[in-house]
Amino acid sequence: MKRLRDLARAAGDAALQLTLPLFDQIAPVPVRAPASRPVPPATTEGGTPAAHTPGISRRLTRLGGHPVEYELRRSRRRTIGFCVDDSGLRVTAPRWVGIAEIDSALSAKEAWILRKLVEWREHAGRRERLAVRWEDGGTVAFLGRTLTMRIDAGARGVAVDNDILRIGLPAQADAGQLKNAVQAWMQTQARAVFRERLPIYSERLGAAPTQLRLSSARTRWGSCAPDGSIRLNWRLVHFPIEIIDYVVVHELAHLKEMNHGPDFWATVQSLLPEFDTARQQLKQFPDDLTLS
Ligand SMILES: [Zn+2]
């Protein structure tokens, strides 16, 4: 597990994009047509008015035995709608629908709502864990190792010194300066590592990319274009060399097979017989990025 945690920290600076859609919605629940009963104003619903916005209140219900807070919005719509995102559960309902009816609609969608809430909570936790503290003493991953950043006004440039990443910056350097210095260094290292690994496998394959470009795409570790150029994400340099090699081999194999069919995987295997271990590790870790 430690290894996985280190890997997770590896992409810490990546501010990885949301894996989940911006919000999750489920089919709304139809409600009865408005009765001739009086429309209760939002404030008589017993919820806490949310930031004094008319028609919006915060309420508490129980789903699957768990207390679940949600935001209730009254609207002109004719159905009860549900939406879960990183701020929790939102319910939109016509003004004439009573709380009991809303709660029973919530119960009917209980499994979906609870699953989505858990997914979003896990997602938020993951983002939290991945965050790098850009300060003296913070850690970053480099080639699978965890390095502790040390700001050293006496040092020049950035250099690895055992488990220390020594950064030549003034003592009062802020988080932005530290991040820029470390990321620029990581990119230089990434290019050097790729330039060293690519020829090894190119030779085995008998084909070389027309061009290597570094990418900082939020969604891809690597890609291979029909013109034979390969892009590799500089953030791969956080990972152990076996994972970098797998991505290098994967993209090189696309020079022969522009697909993910059996011939493609046979090519990958011929270049890197143990590729599947690295592939599984890469899959497990950053669910935010993919290969193409
Ligand atoms: Zn691919």
Side-chain angles (χ1 to χ4, degrees):
M1 269 327 281
K2 170 142 197 324
R3 186 170 171 78
L4 259 185
R5 260 206 318 278
D6 287 346
L7 286 181
R9 198 173 291 124
D13 58 346
L16 300 166
Q17 73 164 29
L18 293 176
T19 35
L20 295 162
L22 210 52
F23 56 83
D24 287 306
Q25 266 181 314
I26 193 170
V29 172
V31 290
R32 287 170 286 119
S36 55
R37 58 192 146 115
V39 175
T43 45
T44 63
E45 295 186 321
T48 318
H52 306 290
T53 313
I56 300 179
S57 58
R58 296 211 61 93
R59 299 197 49 82
L60 195 64
T61 187
R62 287 191 84 79
L63 295 175
H66 307 279
V68 173
E69 201 187 36
Y70 66 93
E71 182 184 285
L72 175 60
R73 286 166 183 262
R74 292 300 192 169
S75 76
R76 289 169 188 278
R77 60 183 292 161
R78 309 188 69 83
T79 53
I80 303 176
F82 309 98
C83 159
V84 176
D85 64 13
D86 56 350
S87 58
L89 170 62
R90 275 204 312 275
V91 179
T92 312
R95 295 188 184 281
W96 70 81
V97 172
I99 291 300
E101 195 172 342
I102 290 172
D103 280 349
S104 91
L106 283 168
S107 291
K109 304 287 184 189
E110 180 179 284
W112 180 88
I113 291 168
L114 289 174
R115 194 175 70 244
K116 288 299 167 191
L117 286 171
V118 167
E119 280 175 14
W120 276 100
R121 193 175 312 140
E122 284 171 355
H123 183 74
R126 204 157 52 231
R127 286 179 71 86
E128 183 87 1
R129 285 193 302 281
L130 290 180
V132 166
R133 286 184 298 117
W134 291 106
E135 60 187 35
D136 187 75
T139 56
V140 284
F142 176 63
L143 295 177
R145 295 163 59 197
T146 301
L147 302 178
T148 301
M149 295 183 284
R150 288 290 173 211
I151 293 178
D152 185 344
R156 279 176 66 88
V158 179
V160 179
D161 173 5
N162 293 312
D163 286 340
I164 301 293
L165 187 63
R166 211 168 287 287
I167 302 130
L169 279 177
Q172 68 274 19
D174 64 21
Q177 287 171 285
L178 182 59
K179 183 177 177 179
N180 286 343
V182 172
Q183 290 197 341
W185 177 81
M186 290 272 185
Q187 288 172 14
T188 307
Q189 299 302 309
R191 194 178 289 278
V193 171
F194 299 153
R195 288 237 165 100
E196 177 197 305
R197 306 310 285 182
L198 269 168
I200 297 173
Y201 298 103
S202 276
E203 198 174 327
R204 286 186 207 172
L205 180 70
T210 53
Q211 197 186 4
L212 164 67
R213 272 176 290 186
L214 278 199
S215 98
S216 54
R218 295 290 182 199
T219 52
R220 291 204 193 295
W221 288 124
S223 61
C224 179
D227 68 0
S229 67
I230 283 178
R231 280 173 180 268
L232 295 171
N233 198 314
W234 67 264
R235 292 184 169 89
L236 284 166
V237 83
H238 294 309
F239 292 115
I241 199 74
E242 307 86 73
I243 292 186
I244 297 176
D245 278 359
Y246 163 62
V247 177
V248 164
V249 163
H250 182 116
E251 300 310 336
L252 278 175
H254 279 316
L255 294 175
K256 291 269 166 94
E257 297 288 335
M258 266 314 229
N259 54 62
H260 292 122
D263 289 348
F264 168 80
W265 290 110
T267 307
V268 171
Q269 174 126 39
S270 72
L271 294 173
L272 191 68
E274 66 281 15
F275 80 94
D276 206 47
T277 313
R279 183 183 173 214
Q280 296 308 329
Q281 271 184 317
L282 193 60
K283 259 192 192 165
Q284 275 181 53
F285 153 62
D287 47 2
D288 308 77
L289 287 137
T290 59
L291 273 173
S292 67

